[in-house]
Amino acid sequence: VQTCALPILDGDGVLDNVDECPHVVGPVDNKGCPVLAKEEKEIIDVAFDHLEFETAKDIIKESSFADLNRLADLLIKKKEWKLKISGHTDNVGDAKKNLDLSKRRAKSLKNYLEAKGIEAERLLDEGFGSTKPIANNKTPEGRQKNRRVEMKVLFE
């Protein structure tokens, strides 16, 4: 029987072909990525939960600023982090317009964080329109959940 050793670049024991963070050490149960401290995760989650835009626009509501400022402060301290910003919409209306709105909202958040001192190359923005729902678009509650901008820390 011949075996083939698969690479593990960062030495964390997670094979690179399944390691979501192949250049930094992280536990197997977190797909090879570092585990965020409870306080760090809370700042990101609160910023996500409280992020609101003007209806059908890419203008961030002022009520979101305090939590976004806490997120910016965290990103300033964690210079090794990148942030992926993904915009989503519900399926009401024109799909092409929804895709454009989701991209503009992600870009709006990126611009906000840049204005707070986060380097542009650390912020990746993308929009998906209504193509990746997390809830049923047949109910108002589901549509509300699908209108979101997700944030994910990336480690490289």
Side-chain angles (χ1 to χ4, degrees):
V1 175
Q2 189 175 18
T3 62
C4 176
L6 294 172
I8 302 175
L9 290 175
D10 57 15
D12 62 6
V14 181
L15 297 175
D16 288 347
N17 64 331
V18 294
D19 193 335
E20 291 187 7
C21 301
H23 300 288
V24 293
V25 175
V28 173
D29 62 349
N30 202 41
K31 300 177 184 171
C33 293
V35 176
L36 301 181
K38 181 181 175 188
E39 301 80 22
E40 297 165 345
K41 184 167 177 11
E42 183 177 301
I43 289 171
I44 295 166
D45 290 346
V46 168
F48 170 71
D49 290 341
H50 295 169
L51 179 60
E52 292 186 331
F53 292 87
E54 298 291 333
T55 302
K57 296 182 181 177
D58 60 356
I59 300 167
I60 299 171
K61 288 187 175 183
E62 191 173 329
S63 60
S64 302
F65 292 170
D67 294 318
L68 291 177
N69 293 344
R70 288 179 65 212
L71 174 61
D73 291 343
L74 176 62
L75 290 170
I76 287 168
K77 291 176 191 168
K78 299 292 189 173
K79 299 222 178 281
E80 70 278 13
W81 289 7
K82 290 187 177 186
L83 190 68
K84 182 168 34 169
I85 304 166
S86 304
H88 302 271
T89 65
D90 60 27
N91 68 348
V92 175
D94 181 74
K96 192 173 181 180
K97 288 181 182 177
N98 282 341
L99 178 60
D100 178 61
L101 178 61
S102 69
K103 288 178 180 180
R104 288 186 293 117
R105 284 184 169 177
K107 183 72 166 173
S108 180
L109 178 54
K110 178 182 180 183
N111 291 341
Y112 184 91
L113 293 171
E114 280 183 52
K116 295 296 177 182
I118 310 306
E119 300 85 356
E121 58 273 4
R122 293 177 54 206
L123 302 168
L124 310 165
D125 60 300
E126 58 190 357
F128 295 98
S130 62
T131 63
K132 294 187 175 194
I134 59 170
N136 190 329
N137 273 309
K138 293 181 181 180
T139 67
E141 298 81 16
R143 289 189 297 276
Q144 173 72 33
K145 288 180 180 178
N146 290 331
R147 295 188 298 267
R148 68 199 189 279
V149 175
E150 296 176 329
M151 296 172 255
K152 179 180 179 186
V153 175
L154 302 176
F155 302 93
E156 295 187 4

mmCIF file of all heavy atoms in Angstrom, residues 4-22 26 28 31-32:
data_model
loop_
_atom_site.group_PDB
_atom_site.id
_atom_site.type_symbol
_atom_site.label_atom_id
_atom_site.label_comp_id
_atom_site.label_asym_id
_atom_site.label_seq_id
_atom_site.Cartn_x
_atom_site.Cartn_y
_atom_site.Cartn_z
ATOM 1 N N CYS A 4 0.250 8.786 0.327
ATOM 2 C CA CYS A 4 0.704 10.082 -0.176
ATOM 3 C C CYS A 4 0.441 11.118 0.907
ATOM 4 O O CYS A 4 -0.687 11.258 1.379
ATOM 5 C CB CYS A 4 -0.066 10.432 -1.457
ATOM 6 S SG CYS A 4 0.328 12.063 -2.091
ATOM 7 N N ALA A 5 1.476 11.817 1.323
ATOM 8 C CA ALA A 5 1.313 12.839 2.355
ATOM 9 C C ALA A 5 0.732 14.104 1.719
ATOM 10 O O ALA A 5 1.247 14.600 0.730
ATOM 11 C CB ALA A 5 2.658 13.152 2.996
ATOM 12 N N LEU A 6 -0.361 14.577 2.291
ATOM 13 C CA LEU A 6 -0.953 15.822 1.847
ATOM 14 C C LEU A 6 -0.340 16.967 2.636
ATOM 15 O O LEU A 6 -0.031 16.823 3.813
ATOM 16 C CB LEU A 6 -2.479 15.799 2.029
ATOM 17 C CG LEU A 6 -3.214 14.794 1.143
ATOM 18 C CD1 LEU A 6 -4.681 14.719 1.540
ATOM 19 C CD2 LEU A 6 -3.083 15.172 -0.309
ATOM 20 N N PRO A 7 -0.181 18.122 2.008
ATOM 21 C CA PRO A 7 0.505 19.222 2.681
ATOM 22 C C PRO A 7 -0.325 19.870 3.795
ATOM 23 O O PRO A 7 -1.539 19.928 3.736
ATOM 24 C CB PRO A 7 0.749 20.221 1.555
ATOM 25 C CG PRO A 7 -0.273 19.914 0.530
ATOM 26 C CD PRO A 7 -0.549 18.446 0.647
ATOM 27 N N ILE A 8 0.420 20.336 4.796
ATOM 28 C CA ILE A 8 -0.144 21.143 5.877
ATOM 29 C C ILE A 8 0.806 22.319 6.047
ATOM 30 O O ILE A 8 1.824 22.226 6.735
ATOM 31 C CB ILE A 8 -0.284 20.340 7.186
ATOM 32 C CG1 ILE A 8 -1.171 19.115 6.971
ATOM 33 C CG2 ILE A 8 -0.822 21.223 8.302
ATOM 34 C CD1 ILE A 8 -1.266 18.194 8.175
ATOM 35 N N LEU A 9 0.498 23.431 5.375
ATOM 36 C CA LEU A 9 1.391 24.584 5.354
ATOM 37 C C LEU A 9 1.635 25.199 6.724
ATOM 38 O O LEU A 9 2.748 25.585 7.047
ATOM 39 C CB LEU A 9 0.840 25.670 4.417
ATOM 40 C CG LEU A 9 0.864 25.369 2.924
ATOM 41 C CD1 LEU A 9 0.170 26.478 2.143
ATOM 42 C CD2 LEU A 9 2.284 25.212 2.437
ATOM 43 N N ASP A 10 0.585 25.328 7.528
ATOM 44 C CA ASP A 10 0.709 26.066 8.782
ATOM 45 C C ASP A 10 1.001 25.182 9.993
ATOM 46 O O ASP A 10 1.164 25.675 11.099
ATOM 47 C CB ASP A 10 -0.527 26.928 9.035
ATOM 48 C CG ASP A 10 -1.824 26.132 9.051
ATOM 49 O OD1 ASP A 10 -1.775 24.894 9.153
ATOM 50 O OD2 ASP A 10 -2.887 26.754 8.947
ATOM 51 N N GLY A 11 1.048 23.873 9.797
ATOM 52 C CA GLY A 11 1.404 22.972 10.881
ATOM 53 C C GLY A 11 0.333 22.751 11.931
ATOM 54 O O GLY A 11 0.622 22.256 13.009
ATOM 55 N N ASP A 12 -0.922 23.086 11.623
ATOM 56 C CA ASP A 12 -1.985 22.943 12.624
ATOM 57 C C ASP A 12 -2.677 21.584 12.605
ATOM 58 O O ASP A 12 -3.595 21.334 13.376
ATOM 59 C CB ASP A 12 -3.019 24.066 12.500
ATOM 60 C CG ASP A 12 -3.752 24.082 11.163
ATOM 61 O OD1 ASP A 12 -3.562 23.173 10.338
ATOM 62 O OD2 ASP A 12 -4.526 25.041 10.946
ATOM 63 N N GLY A 13 -2.260 20.705 11.716
ATOM 64 C CA GLY A 13 -2.860 19.376 11.666
ATOM 65 C C GLY A 13 -4.057 19.264 10.751
ATOM 66 O O GLY A 13 -4.622 18.192 10.596
ATOM 67 N N VAL A 14 -4.462 20.374 10.132
ATOM 68 C CA VAL A 14 -5.593 20.363 9.203
ATOM 69 C C VAL A 14 -5.027 20.349 7.788
ATOM 70 O O VAL A 14 -4.254 21.233 7.414
ATOM 71 C CB VAL A 14 -6.511 21.601 9.404
ATOM 72 C CG1 VAL A 14 -7.688 21.553 8.441
ATOM 73 C CG2 VAL A 14 -6.994 21.691 10.842
ATOM 74 N N LEU A 15 -5.407 19.331 7.019
ATOM 75 C CA LEU A 15 -4.907 19.223 5.652
ATOM 76 C C LEU A 15 -5.303 20.454 4.842
ATOM 77 O O LEU A 15 -6.432 20.943 4.948
ATOM 78 C CB LEU A 15 -5.448 17.960 4.982
ATOM 79 C CG LEU A 15 -5.028 16.630 5.627
ATOM 80 C CD1 LEU A 15 -5.725 15.470 4.943
ATOM 81 C CD2 LEU A 15 -3.521 16.470 5.576
ATOM 82 N N ASP A 16 -4.373 20.941 4.042
ATOM 83 C CA ASP A 16 -4.607 22.173 3.288
ATOM 84 C C ASP A 16 -5.822 22.105 2.371
ATOM 85 O O ASP A 16 -6.468 23.116 2.123
ATOM 86 C CB ASP A 16 -3.368 22.542 2.464
ATOM 87 C CG ASP A 16 -2.228 23.040 3.344
ATOM 88 O OD1 ASP A 16 -2.477 23.332 4.530
ATOM 89 O OD2 ASP A 16 -1.104 23.123 2.841
ATOM 90 N N ASN A 17 -6.154 20.921 1.875
ATOM 91 C CA ASN A 17 -7.296 20.823 0.959
ATOM 92 C C ASN A 17 -8.633 21.046 1.656
ATOM 93 O O ASN A 17 -9.645 21.278 1.005
ATOM 94 C CB ASN A 17 -7.286 19.487 0.202
ATOM 95 C CG ASN A 17 -7.468 18.282 1.108
ATOM 96 O OD1 ASN A 17 -7.095 18.304 2.282
ATOM 97 N ND2 ASN A 17 -8.020 17.223 0.564
ATOM 98 N N VAL A 18 -8.659 21.019 2.997
ATOM 99 C CA VAL A 18 -9.882 21.312 3.751
ATOM 100 C C VAL A 18 -9.694 22.470 4.736
ATOM 101 O O VAL A 18 -10.644 22.872 5.400
ATOM 102 C CB VAL A 18 -10.419 20.067 4.496
ATOM 103 C CG1 VAL A 18 -10.882 19.005 3.517
ATOM 104 C CG2 VAL A 18 -9.386 19.515 5.462
ATOM 105 N N ASP A 19 -8.481 22.996 4.818
ATOM 106 C CA ASP A 19 -8.157 24.090 5.735
ATOM 107 C C ASP A 19 -8.628 25.407 5.119
ATOM 108 O O ASP A 19 -8.153 25.808 4.068
ATOM 109 C CB ASP A 19 -6.647 24.118 5.983
ATOM 110 C CG ASP A 19 -6.234 24.998 7.142
ATOM 111 O OD1 ASP A 19 -6.964 25.945 7.474
ATOM 112 O OD2 ASP A 19 -5.160 24.737 7.706
ATOM 113 N N GLU A 20 -9.591 26.073 5.774
ATOM 114 C CA GLU A 20 -10.087 27.354 5.262
ATOM 115 C C GLU A 20 -9.124 28.498 5.538
ATOM 116 O O GLU A 20 -9.285 29.591 5.004
ATOM 117 C CB GLU A 20 -11.479 27.653 5.846
ATOM 118 C CG GLU A 20 -12.536 26.714 5.299
ATOM 119 C CD GLU A 20 -13.946 27.076 5.715
ATOM 120 O OE1 GLU A 20 -14.162 28.143 6.337
ATOM 121 O OE2 GLU A 20 -14.847 26.279 5.411
ATOM 122 N N CYS A 21 -8.105 28.241 6.368
ATOM 123 C CA CYS A 21 -7.082 29.239 6.695
ATOM 124 C C CYS A 21 -5.715 28.555 6.639
ATOM 125 O O CYS A 21 -5.069 28.342 7.673
ATOM 126 C CB CYS A 21 -7.334 29.831 8.072
ATOM 127 S SG CYS A 21 -8.938 30.627 8.263
ATOM 128 N N PRO A 22 -5.241 28.183 5.450
ATOM 129 C CA PRO A 22 -4.040 27.359 5.352
ATOM 130 C C PRO A 22 -2.729 28.048 5.750
ATOM 131 O O PRO A 22 -1.716 27.389 5.893
ATOM 132 C CB PRO A 22 -4.010 26.943 3.878
ATOM 133 C CG PRO A 22 -4.767 28.010 3.169
ATOM 134 C CD PRO A 22 -5.827 28.455 4.140
ATOM 135 N N GLY A 26 -5.040 27.088 13.287
ATOM 136 C CA GLY A 26 -6.375 27.060 13.873
ATOM 137 C C GLY A 26 -6.804 25.635 14.135
ATOM 138 O O GLY A 26 -6.313 24.700 13.494
ATOM 139 N N VAL A 28 -8.894 22.059 14.344
ATOM 140 C CA VAL A 28 -9.596 21.234 13.368
ATOM 141 C C VAL A 28 -11.091 21.542 13.371
ATOM 142 O O VAL A 28 -11.706 21.675 12.320
ATOM 143 C CB VAL A 28 -9.364 19.728 13.659
ATOM 144 C CG1 VAL A 28 -10.218 18.855 12.752
ATOM 145 C CG2 VAL A 28 -7.891 19.381 13.507
ATOM 146 N N LYS A 31 -12.245 24.398 11.181
ATOM 147 C CA LYS A 31 -11.782 24.279 9.798
ATOM 148 C C LYS A 31 -10.400 24.891 9.583
ATOM 149 O O LYS A 31 -10.095 25.422 8.531
ATOM 150 C CB LYS A 31 -12.801 24.897 8.839
ATOM 151 C CG LYS A 31 -14.157 24.224 8.929
ATOM 152 C CD LYS A 31 -15.173 24.896 8.042
ATOM 153 C CE LYS A 31 -16.527 24.248 8.239
ATOM 154 N NZ LYS A 31 -17.582 24.955 7.580
ATOM 155 N N GLY A 32 -9.558 24.834 10.631
ATOM 156 C CA GLY A 32 -8.189 25.318 10.526
ATOM 157 C C GLY A 32 -8.026 26.817 10.687
ATOM 158 O O GLY A 32 -6.933 27.340 10.491
#
